[in-house]
Amino acid sequence: MAFKFIKVNPQIEKHIALIELNRPKELNALNRQLMLEIRDALRELDEDETVRVVVLTGGTKVFAAGADIKQMANAGAIDMLNIDQFSTWDQIKKTRKPILAAVSGFALGGGCELAMTCDMIVASETARFGQPEIKIGTMPGAGGTQRLTRAIGKVRAMEMVLTGKFISADEALRFGLINRIVPAELLLSETLKLAGEIAKLSPVAVKLAKESVNNAFNSTLDEGLVFERKNFYLTFASEDQKEGMVAFVEKRMPDFKGK
Ligand code: DAK
Protein backbone atom coordinates (compact mmCIF):
# COMPACT_ATOMS: atom_id res chain seq x y z
CA MET A 1 0.00 0.00 0.00
CA ALA A 2 1.63 3.21 -1.18
CA PHE A 3 -0.01 5.63 1.19
CA LYS A 4 -2.16 5.19 4.24
CA PHE A 5 -5.45 7.07 4.25
CA ILE A 6 -6.17 6.35 7.89
CA LYS A 7 -4.12 6.73 11.03
CA VAL A 8 -4.65 4.18 13.76
CA ASN A 9 -3.60 4.99 17.26
CA PRO A 10 -4.34 2.20 19.71
CA GLN A 11 -3.99 2.80 23.42
CA ILE A 12 -3.93 6.58 23.27
CA GLU A 13 -5.94 6.17 26.40
CA LYS A 14 -6.35 2.95 28.22
CA HIS A 15 -8.21 0.39 26.10
CA ILE A 16 -9.28 2.91 23.43
CA ALA A 17 -8.17 2.90 19.81
CA LEU A 18 -8.54 5.90 17.55
CA ILE A 19 -9.01 5.62 13.79
CA GLU A 20 -8.61 8.92 11.99
CA LEU A 21 -9.52 9.40 8.31
CA ASN A 22 -6.69 11.15 6.57
CA ARG A 23 -7.53 12.53 3.12
CA PRO A 24 -7.88 16.18 4.11
CA LYS A 25 -7.53 17.66 0.60
CA GLU A 26 -10.43 15.53 -0.63
CA LEU A 27 -12.50 16.21 2.50
CA ASN A 28 -11.92 12.60 3.53
CA ALA A 29 -13.83 11.33 0.49
CA LEU A 30 -14.12 7.60 0.98
CA ASN A 31 -12.16 5.98 -1.80
CA ARG A 32 -11.78 2.22 -2.01
CA GLN A 33 -8.36 2.11 -0.39
CA LEU A 34 -9.48 4.14 2.62
CA MET A 35 -12.51 1.90 3.10
CA LEU A 36 -10.36 -1.22 2.95
CA GLU A 37 -7.96 0.29 5.47
CA ILE A 38 -10.86 0.96 7.85
CA ARG A 39 -12.11 -2.60 7.37
CA ASP A 40 -8.70 -4.11 8.11
CA ALA A 41 -8.08 -1.85 11.09
CA LEU A 42 -11.46 -2.76 12.60
CA ARG A 43 -10.81 -6.46 12.11
CA GLU A 44 -7.51 -6.18 13.94
CA LEU A 45 -8.84 -3.99 16.73
CA ASP A 46 -11.82 -6.29 17.31
CA GLU A 47 -9.36 -9.13 17.93
CA ASP A 48 -6.95 -7.08 20.04
CA GLU A 49 -7.68 -7.93 23.68
CA THR A 50 -6.18 -4.68 24.93
CA VAL A 51 -8.73 -2.62 22.97
CA ARG A 52 -12.25 -2.24 24.36
CA VAL A 53 -13.68 0.74 22.46
CA VAL A 54 -12.93 2.24 19.05
CA VAL A 55 -13.33 5.92 18.14
CA LEU A 56 -13.63 6.81 14.46
CA THR A 57 -13.09 10.43 13.45
CA GLY A 58 -12.31 12.61 10.46
CA GLY A 59 -10.57 15.20 12.62
CA THR A 60 -11.78 18.68 13.51
CA LYS A 61 -12.63 20.05 10.02
CA VAL A 62 -14.58 17.38 8.18
CA PHE A 63 -15.80 13.87 8.90
CA ALA A 64 -16.23 12.66 5.30
CA ALA A 65 -17.83 14.26 2.23
CA GLY A 66 -19.04 10.90 0.96
CA ALA A 67 -17.82 8.18 -1.33
CA ASP A 68 -15.19 9.34 -3.79
CA ILE A 69 -17.28 10.71 -6.66
CA LYS A 70 -14.25 10.93 -8.96
CA GLN A 71 -13.58 7.23 -8.47
CA MET A 72 -17.25 6.28 -9.00
CA ALA A 73 -18.16 8.63 -11.84
CA ASN A 74 -17.39 6.28 -14.73
CA ALA A 75 -18.11 2.96 -13.03
CA GLY A 76 -20.75 0.65 -14.47
CA ALA A 77 -23.25 -1.35 -12.45
CA ILE A 78 -21.18 -4.51 -12.90
CA ASP A 79 -17.99 -2.72 -11.79
CA MET A 80 -19.88 -1.70 -8.64
CA LEU A 81 -21.13 -5.27 -8.21
CA ASN A 82 -17.72 -6.85 -8.73
CA ILE A 83 -15.86 -4.68 -6.25
CA ASP A 84 -16.42 -5.84 -2.69
CA GLN A 85 -17.71 -2.43 -1.67
CA PHE A 86 -19.80 -3.53 1.24
CA SER A 87 -17.08 -5.31 3.16
CA THR A 88 -16.26 -2.25 5.26
CA TRP A 89 -19.86 -1.60 6.18
CA ASP A 90 -20.30 -5.30 6.94
CA GLN A 91 -17.17 -5.23 9.09
CA ILE A 92 -18.42 -2.22 11.07
CA LYS A 93 -21.66 -4.09 11.66
CA LYS A 94 -19.76 -7.23 12.66
CA THR A 95 -17.39 -5.46 15.06
CA ARG A 96 -18.38 -6.56 18.53
CA LYS A 97 -16.71 -3.73 20.39
CA PRO A 98 -18.45 -0.35 20.54
CA ILE A 99 -17.49 2.14 17.82
CA LEU A 100 -18.04 5.84 18.52
CA ALA A 101 -18.05 8.32 15.65
CA ALA A 102 -16.64 11.79 16.39
CA VAL A 103 -18.06 14.09 13.71
CA SER A 104 -17.02 17.64 12.86
CA GLY A 105 -17.97 19.40 9.63
CA PHE A 106 -19.52 17.50 6.74
CA ALA A 107 -20.78 13.94 7.14
CA LEU A 108 -22.38 13.47 3.74
CA GLY A 109 -23.55 10.51 1.69
CA GLY A 110 -21.27 7.60 2.56
CA GLY A 111 -19.83 9.82 5.34
CA CYS A 112 -23.24 10.10 7.00
CA GLU A 113 -23.75 6.37 6.44
CA LEU A 114 -20.37 5.62 7.98
CA ALA A 115 -21.25 7.64 11.10
CA MET A 116 -24.67 6.00 11.33
CA THR A 117 -23.16 2.52 11.10
CA CYS A 118 -21.19 3.30 14.28
CA ASP A 119 -22.87 2.77 17.65
CA MET A 120 -22.95 6.37 18.85
CA ILE A 121 -22.26 9.76 17.31
CA VAL A 122 -20.69 12.69 19.13
CA ALA A 123 -20.79 15.81 16.96
CA SER A 124 -19.27 19.24 17.13
CA GLU A 125 -21.43 22.30 16.56
CA THR A 126 -19.98 22.52 13.00
CA ALA A 127 -21.30 19.09 12.00
CA ARG A 128 -23.58 18.88 8.93
CA PHE A 129 -25.30 15.65 8.02
CA GLY A 130 -26.79 14.85 4.65
CA GLN A 131 -27.58 12.24 2.01
CA PRO A 132 -27.05 14.37 -1.11
CA GLU A 133 -26.66 11.45 -3.56
CA ILE A 134 -29.94 12.43 -5.24
CA LYS A 135 -28.25 15.62 -6.47
CA ILE A 136 -25.71 13.61 -8.43
CA GLY A 137 -28.26 11.30 -10.00
CA THR A 138 -28.14 8.38 -7.62
CA MET A 139 -29.35 7.49 -4.13
CA PRO A 140 -27.90 6.23 -0.84
CA GLY A 141 -26.38 2.76 -1.20
CA ALA A 142 -24.79 1.98 2.15
CA GLY A 143 -27.73 2.13 4.52
CA GLY A 144 -28.79 5.77 4.16
CA THR A 145 -32.42 4.98 3.39
CA GLN A 146 -32.58 2.41 6.19
CA ARG A 147 -30.51 3.64 9.13
CA LEU A 148 -31.51 7.28 8.69
CA THR A 149 -35.20 6.34 8.54
CA ARG A 150 -34.91 4.21 11.67
CA ALA A 151 -33.04 6.98 13.48
CA ILE A 152 -35.08 10.06 12.57
CA GLY A 153 -38.36 8.76 11.15
CA LYS A 154 -39.90 8.56 7.69
CA VAL A 155 -40.86 12.12 6.84
CA ARG A 156 -37.55 13.63 7.91
CA ALA A 157 -35.56 10.91 6.17
CA MET A 158 -37.69 11.35 3.03
CA GLU A 159 -36.96 15.06 2.97
CA MET A 160 -33.22 14.54 3.38
CA VAL A 161 -32.97 11.68 0.87
CA LEU A 162 -35.30 13.19 -1.75
CA THR A 163 -33.95 16.76 -1.64
CA GLY A 164 -30.37 16.16 -0.53
CA LYS A 165 -30.64 18.91 2.07
CA PHE A 166 -28.18 18.97 4.95
CA ILE A 167 -29.16 19.18 8.59
CA SER A 168 -27.25 20.99 11.32
CA ALA A 169 -25.87 19.46 14.49
CA ASP A 170 -28.79 21.01 16.42
CA GLU A 171 -31.35 19.41 14.12
CA ALA A 172 -29.49 16.10 14.22
CA LEU A 173 -29.63 16.17 18.02
CA ARG A 174 -33.30 17.12 18.04
CA PHE A 175 -34.10 14.35 15.52
CA GLY A 176 -32.26 11.68 17.55
CA LEU A 177 -29.47 11.06 15.03
CA ILE A 178 -26.62 11.95 17.40
CA ASN A 179 -25.85 11.58 21.08
CA ARG A 180 -24.55 15.05 21.88
CA ILE A 181 -23.00 18.26 20.60
CA VAL A 182 -19.69 19.53 21.92
CA PRO A 183 -17.47 22.49 20.97
CA ALA A 184 -15.27 21.62 17.97
CA GLU A 185 -12.05 21.96 19.91
CA LEU A 186 -13.33 19.46 22.50
CA LEU A 187 -14.69 16.92 20.01
CA LEU A 188 -11.96 14.37 20.43
CA SER A 189 -11.47 14.77 24.17
CA GLU A 190 -15.22 14.55 24.85
CA THR A 191 -15.59 11.49 22.62
CA LEU A 192 -12.62 9.85 24.30
CA LYS A 193 -14.20 10.65 27.65
CA LEU A 194 -17.38 8.84 26.62
CA ALA A 195 -15.30 5.97 25.23
CA GLY A 196 -13.37 5.90 28.51
CA GLU A 197 -16.58 5.49 30.52
CA ILE A 198 -17.42 2.39 28.47
CA ALA A 199 -13.84 1.09 28.50
CA LYS A 200 -13.93 0.94 32.31
CA LEU A 201 -16.85 -1.48 32.29
CA SER A 202 -16.94 -5.22 31.72
CA PRO A 203 -15.99 -5.88 28.07
CA VAL A 204 -18.04 -9.07 28.22
CA ALA A 205 -21.21 -7.28 29.35
CA VAL A 206 -20.60 -4.40 26.93
CA LYS A 207 -20.25 -6.80 24.00
CA LEU A 208 -23.41 -8.72 24.92
CA ALA A 209 -25.38 -5.52 25.58
CA LYS A 210 -24.35 -4.01 22.23
CA GLU A 211 -25.41 -7.18 20.47
CA SER A 212 -28.77 -7.13 22.24
CA VAL A 213 -29.51 -3.48 21.37
CA ASN A 214 -28.62 -4.10 17.72
CA ASN A 215 -30.84 -7.16 17.70
CA ALA A 216 -33.82 -4.89 18.42
CA PHE A 217 -33.67 -3.76 14.77
CA ASN A 218 -33.92 -7.28 13.41
CA SER A 219 -36.46 -8.99 15.64
CA THR A 220 -39.97 -8.82 17.00
CA LEU A 221 -40.26 -7.62 20.61
CA ASP A 222 -40.77 -11.16 21.90
CA GLU A 223 -37.80 -12.52 19.96
CA GLY A 224 -35.67 -9.60 21.11
CA LEU A 225 -36.65 -10.16 24.75
CA VAL A 226 -35.68 -13.84 24.55
CA PHE A 227 -32.35 -12.92 22.94
CA GLU A 228 -31.73 -10.30 25.63
CA ARG A 229 -32.53 -12.79 28.40
CA LYS A 230 -30.02 -15.31 27.06
CA ASN A 231 -27.29 -12.67 26.91
CA PHE A 232 -28.24 -11.55 30.43
CA TYR A 233 -27.84 -15.15 31.68
CA LEU A 234 -24.51 -15.36 29.83
CA THR A 235 -23.09 -12.40 31.77
CA PHE A 236 -23.45 -14.61 34.89
CA ALA A 237 -20.89 -16.98 33.40
CA SER A 238 -18.29 -14.19 33.46
CA GLU A 239 -15.76 -13.35 36.16
CA ASP A 240 -16.62 -9.73 35.45
CA GLN A 241 -20.18 -10.17 36.74
CA LYS A 242 -18.84 -11.64 40.00
CA GLU A 243 -16.26 -8.87 40.28
CA GLY A 244 -18.85 -6.15 39.56
CA MET A 245 -21.33 -7.36 42.15
CA VAL A 246 -18.76 -8.25 44.82
CA ALA A 247 -17.09 -4.85 44.35
CA PHE A 248 -20.48 -3.19 44.86
CA VAL A 249 -21.07 -5.13 48.08
CA GLU A 250 -17.53 -4.39 49.30
CA LYS A 251 -17.93 -0.70 48.39
CA ARG A 252 -14.92 -0.56 46.08
CA MET A 253 -14.33 0.08 42.38
CA PRO A 254 -14.54 -3.07 40.22
CA ASP A 255 -11.58 -4.19 38.18
CA PHE A 256 -12.99 -5.78 35.04
CA LYS A 257 -10.78 -8.15 33.06
CA GLY A 258 -13.03 -9.15 30.16
CA LYS A 259 -13.19 -12.75 31.37
N1 DAK B 1 -15.63 12.78 -3.75
C1 DAK B 1 -14.48 13.20 -4.31
N2 DAK B 1 -13.95 14.42 -4.08
C2 DAK B 1 -14.64 15.24 -3.25
C3 DAK B 1 -15.84 14.86 -2.63
C4 DAK B 1 -16.34 13.56 -2.91
N3 DAK B 1 -17.45 13.08 -2.34
N4 DAK B 1 -16.28 15.90 -1.89
C5 DAK B 1 -15.35 16.88 -2.03
N5 DAK B 1 -14.36 16.49 -2.85
C6 DAK B 1 -13.17 17.23 -3.27
C7 DAK B 1 -13.57 18.34 -4.24
O1 DAK B 1 -13.67 17.81 -5.56
C8 DAK B 1 -12.40 19.29 -4.09
O2 DAK B 1 -11.31 18.76 -4.78
P1 DAK B 1 -10.40 19.71 -5.72
O3 DAK B 1 -11.33 20.37 -6.64
O4 DAK B 1 -9.75 20.67 -4.74
O5 DAK B 1 -9.44 18.77 -6.36
C9 DAK B 1 -12.09 19.19 -2.59
O6 DAK B 1 -12.63 17.95 -2.15
C10 DAK B 1 -12.74 20.30 -1.79
O7 DAK B 1 -14.11 20.32 -2.09
P2 DAK B 1 -14.92 21.67 -2.50
O8 DAK B 1 -14.02 22.62 -3.19
O9 DAK B 1 -16.17 21.24 -3.18
O10 DAK B 1 -15.24 22.25 -1.04
P3 DAK B 1 -16.47 23.15 -0.60
O11 DAK B 1 -16.17 23.55 0.80
O12 DAK B 1 -16.76 24.21 -1.62
O13 DAK B 1 -17.75 22.17 -0.61
C11 DAK B 1 -18.93 20.11 -0.06
C12 DAK B 1 -17.80 21.11 0.32
C13 DAK B 1 -18.79 18.92 0.87
C14 DAK B 1 -20.28 20.76 0.14
C15 DAK B 1 -18.75 19.70 -1.56
O14 DAK B 1 -17.41 19.28 -1.76
C16 DAK B 1 -19.67 18.57 -1.95
O15 DAK B 1 -20.86 18.78 -2.23
N6 DAK B 1 -19.12 17.36 -2.04
C17 DAK B 1 -19.86 16.21 -2.52
C18 DAK B 1 -20.83 15.73 -1.48
C19 DAK B 1 -21.62 14.53 -1.98
O16 DAK B 1 -22.35 14.61 -2.96
N7 DAK B 1 -21.46 13.42 -1.25
C20 DAK B 1 -22.13 12.17 -1.65
C21 DAK B 1 -21.27 11.39 -2.60
S1 DAK B 1 -22.05 9.90 -3.13
C22 DAK B 1 -21.67 2.39 -1.53
C23 DAK B 1 -21.25 2.99 -0.38
C24 DAK B 1 -21.35 4.37 -0.28
C25 DAK B 1 -21.83 5.13 -1.30
C26 DAK B 1 -22.25 4.52 -2.44
C27 DAK B 1 -22.17 3.14 -2.56
N8 DAK B 1 -21.58 0.97 -1.69
C28 DAK B 1 -21.01 0.18 -0.60
C29 DAK B 1 -22.03 0.32 -2.86
C30 DAK B 1 -21.85 6.57 -1.12
C31 DAK B 1 -22.09 7.43 -2.09
C32 DAK B 1 -21.80 8.85 -1.83
O17 DAK B 1 -21.40 9.25 -0.78
Side-chain angles (χ1 to χ4, degrees):
M1 209 171 277
F3 183 74
K4 288 263 183 200
F5 289 133
I6 63 167
K7 298 180 199 164
V8 182
N9 189 354
Q11 301 297 300
I12 63 166
E13 271 186 25
K14 223 174 162 218
H15 301 310
I16 302 169
L18 177 70
I19 298 178
E20 187 172 350
L21 312 184
N22 186 31
R23 291 189 80 203
K25 283 199 199 109
E26 295 83 6
L27 309 185
N28 289 334
L30 307 167
N31 66 3
R32 263 171 236 132
Q33 187 187 326
L34 182 151
M35 294 311 285
L36 293 177
E37 287 176 23
I38 297 175
R39 182 198 65 188
D40 294 345
L42 284 175
R43 267 187 200 155
E44 270 178 43
L45 295 172
D46 209 28
E47 281 175 17
D48 183 337
E49 282 190 7
T50 62
V51 172
R52 295 184 180 181
V53 183
V54 178
V55 172
L56 175 66
T57 188
T60 50
K61 295 214 173 84
V62 62
F63 184 69
D68 192 319
I69 300 171
K70 292 166 193 165
Q71 202 171 52
M72 276 188 307
N74 293 315
I78 304 304
D79 299 323
M80 300 292 278
L81 176 77
N82 285 340
I83 304 162
D84 183 16
Q85 296 193 74
F86 288 100
S87 62
T88 306
W89 272 269
D90 290 345
Q91 181 58 47
I92 299 172
K93 231 179 83 185
K94 268 195 277 181
T95 300
R96 294 178 308 160
K97 295 170 186 173
I99 309 175
L100 276 49
V103 176
S104 232
F106 294 116
L108 305 178
C112 187
E113 289 168 319
L114 185 60
M116 289 191 295
T117 312
C118 297
D119 299 306
M120 295 181 215
I121 304 176
V122 178
S124 83
E125 60 242 310
T126 67
R128 297 283 175 278
F129 297 86
Q131 297 290 161
E133 293 91 337
I134 205 84
K135 291 185 172 169
I136 52 170
T138 182
M139 59 172 278
T145 65
Q146 300 304 299
R147 292 199 173 89
L148 189 66
T149 307
R150 283 168 169 76
I152 70 175
K154 176 184 159 180
V155 295
R156 288 169 177 152
M158 276 294 185
E159 188 172 345
M160 286 178 71
V161 170
L162 298 190
T163 69
K165 76 171 242 190
F166 302 165
I167 58 169
S168 65
D170 279 336
E171 287 171 302
L173 185 65
R174 203 152 33 84
F175 295 172
L177 184 63
I178 62 175
N179 292 74
R180 63 192 65 166
I181 303 175
V182 298
E185 66 279 11
L186 298 181
L187 177 68
L188 195 54
S189 59
E190 288 296 318
T191 312
L192 289 171
K193 205 188 282 174
L194 180 59
E197 282 176 36
I198 301 167
K200 272 192 265 166
L201 306 175
S202 159
V204 176
V206 166
K207 217 174 270 172
L208 293 171
K210 167 175 165 161
E211 189 185 36
S212 300
V213 172
N214 278 333
N215 190 51
F217 291 103
N218 291 321
S219 63
T220 63
L221 179 60
D222 281 348
E223 286 162 356
L225 288 171
V226 170
F227 188 89
E228 176 192 78
R229 205 163 298 165
K230 299 226 159 115
N231 275 356
F232 167 74
Y233 292 149
L234 194 50
T235 62
F236 281 74
S238 71
E239 291 171 20
D240 282 353
Q241 172 270 330
K242 301 285 171 292
E243 167 65 7
M245 294 194 183
V246 169
F248 175 82
V249 174
E250 293 175 353
K251 299 187 187 300
R252 62 171 172 81
M253 293 303 288
D255 178 17
F256 293 118
K257 300 267 196 280
K259 303 271 185 215

